[in-house]
Amino acid sequence: GKLIIRYETAHRGGKKVTIVERFTGTDEQMKELGKDLKRHCGTGGSVVDDEILVQGDHRDKIKKYLRSLGYQTNDI
């Protein structure tokens, strides 16, 4: 499936996050991908409710990185 990358500020206490959703794989694979994305962007984040959250606006960087790994992403 295609991964959805979106940017959100609402309901986050004013913090801006980039969200990656619709990941199909095990929880362990999702946590590993989340760790890789945080390291690639040089920022914090977490994996919550089948979503990978990366602090800040890193949509372009994340999209390029995921595509280099062979994932399909939405056009943002």
Side-chain angles (χ1 to χ4, degrees):
K2 189 180 279 195
L3 296 176
I4 304 297
I5 303 168
R6 61 188 173 89
Y7 180 65
E8 189 174 282
T9 56
H11 314 294
R12 308 248 173 231
K15 294 189 170 123
K16 298 163 176 63
V17 294
T18 304
I19 301 171
V20 180
E21 54 189 5
R22 295 199 185 161
F23 178 80
T24 55
T26 66
D27 288 346
E28 195 59 42
Q29 289 170 325
M30 181 180 274
K31 287 178 186 171
E32 192 63 33
L33 180 59
K35 198 159 89 173
D36 291 345
L37 289 174
K38 290 186 293 184
R39 187 181 311 115
H40 182 72
C41 295
T43 188
S46 60
V47 176
V48 182
D49 298 331
D50 295 332
E51 294 179 335
I52 300 171
L53 309 176
V54 179
Q55 294 173 359
D57 185 1
H58 298 284
R59 289 172 287 187
D60 290 336
K61 193 181 260 193
I62 287 174
K63 180 174 82 169
K64 287 176 187 168
Y65 183 70
L66 289 173
R67 287 187 175 176
S68 75
L69 295 176
Y71 291 101
Q72 290 185 347
T73 63
N74 61 319
D75 291 318
I76 49 175

